[in-house]
Amino acid sequence: MHKKTIILDPGHGVLKAGGIVDPGVTYKGLKEADIVLSYALTCKEIFKDTYDVVLARTSNIGPSYYERTRLKGDIFISLHLNSANTYGMVYYKSLGLTRYITSSKVLADIIQKTVNLKFVKPTTGSRFGKLYIDDFPFTSVLVEIDAINLAPNTKEARIEFANKLLNSVNTFFNV
């Protein structure tokens, strides 16, 4: 039996017009793109014995959002941080085939409870009206881990989050 493939997308880190890299939200010199990359790398290490893991980017600059959603895998998890003093949440795919909207909502609910995030919302409920994870053809979620000023970027915090996310994915596949 082959392992399921998890795509972990450290959000942002996209080269924009004018050669500027999208850092995501920033706070006192901290960049969302850098922090979520370190979280994704830790998750990959924790997940590797159970799942095949594909990182959408492994350095400061990665492919476009559309190219990320073309990666092959069973589920797509995009990691982000909220702006300062806002709560963690998880968005689930809400456009596309009904079965993948349903499975994305199930995964989002499991992550919300396991990681103890404040809200679960459909991607169409975001302030953008649609999120790029809707372009992934299967189950997909976008996890806003916490506010950038509240998310500790320590090895211990990353390991704790990665273990909770792994437990969420394990629960999802055993449902």
Side-chain angles (χ1 to χ4, degrees):
M1 184 170 139
H2 89 283
K3 289 182 182 180
K4 299 271 188 200
T5 300
I6 311 302
I7 299 167
L8 291 174
D9 168 43
H12 302 282
V14 173
L15 194 60
K16 294 169 39 174
I20 298 170
V21 176
D22 173 15
V25 296
T26 59
Y27 178 81
K28 295 186 177 181
L30 300 172
K31 296 177 186 170
E32 175 184 5
D34 295 340
I35 296 170
V36 295
L37 177 58
S38 62
Y39 270 80
L41 291 168
T42 302
C43 287
K44 181 177 182 176
E45 187 64 27
I46 297 292
F47 280 45
K48 73 179 181 184
D49 291 336
T50 310
Y51 299 103
D52 288 328
V53 179
V54 175
L55 288 179
R57 69 178 174 95
T58 57
S59 64
N60 290 344
I61 301 173
S64 74
Y65 296 124
Y66 180 77
E67 291 169 322
R68 294 173 192 202
T69 64
R70 302 284 56 97
L71 294 170
K72 303 294 183 206
D74 296 292
I75 62 174
F76 185 92
I77 302 173
S78 187
L79 301 178
H80 290 260
L81 294 171
N82 288 350
S83 57
N85 300 316
T86 59
Y87 297 105
M89 69 181 72
V90 57
Y91 288 100
Y92 61 91
K93 174 186 186 74
S94 58
L95 298 173
L97 294 175
T98 302
R99 72 175 181 247
Y100 295 120
I101 293 171
T102 301
S103 62
S104 296
K105 172 77 164 77
V106 168
L107 178 59
D109 286 339
I110 293 167
I111 291 171
Q112 186 267 330
K113 288 179 182 98
T114 306
V115 180
N116 194 30
L117 301 174
K118 303 294 182 203
F119 304 104
V120 174
K121 293 184 178 184
T123 52
T124 53
S126 77
R127 63 188 169 127
F128 305 105
K130 176 186 183 290
L131 297 174
Y132 68 96
I133 65 167
D134 283 319
D135 294 327
F136 185 71
F138 305 111
T139 303
S140 59
V141 295
L142 187 149
V143 180
E144 297 274 7
I145 299 166
D146 207 334
I148 191 167
N149 63 316
L150 301 175
N153 190 19
T154 63
K155 180 179 180 179
E156 294 78 19
R158 291 190 305 270
I159 290 171
E160 179 182 355
F161 172 81
N163 280 314
K164 287 179 179 180
L165 191 59
L166 176 62
N167 288 338
S168 299
V169 172
N170 288 341
T171 299
F172 172 77
F173 282 125
N174 290 317
V175 170

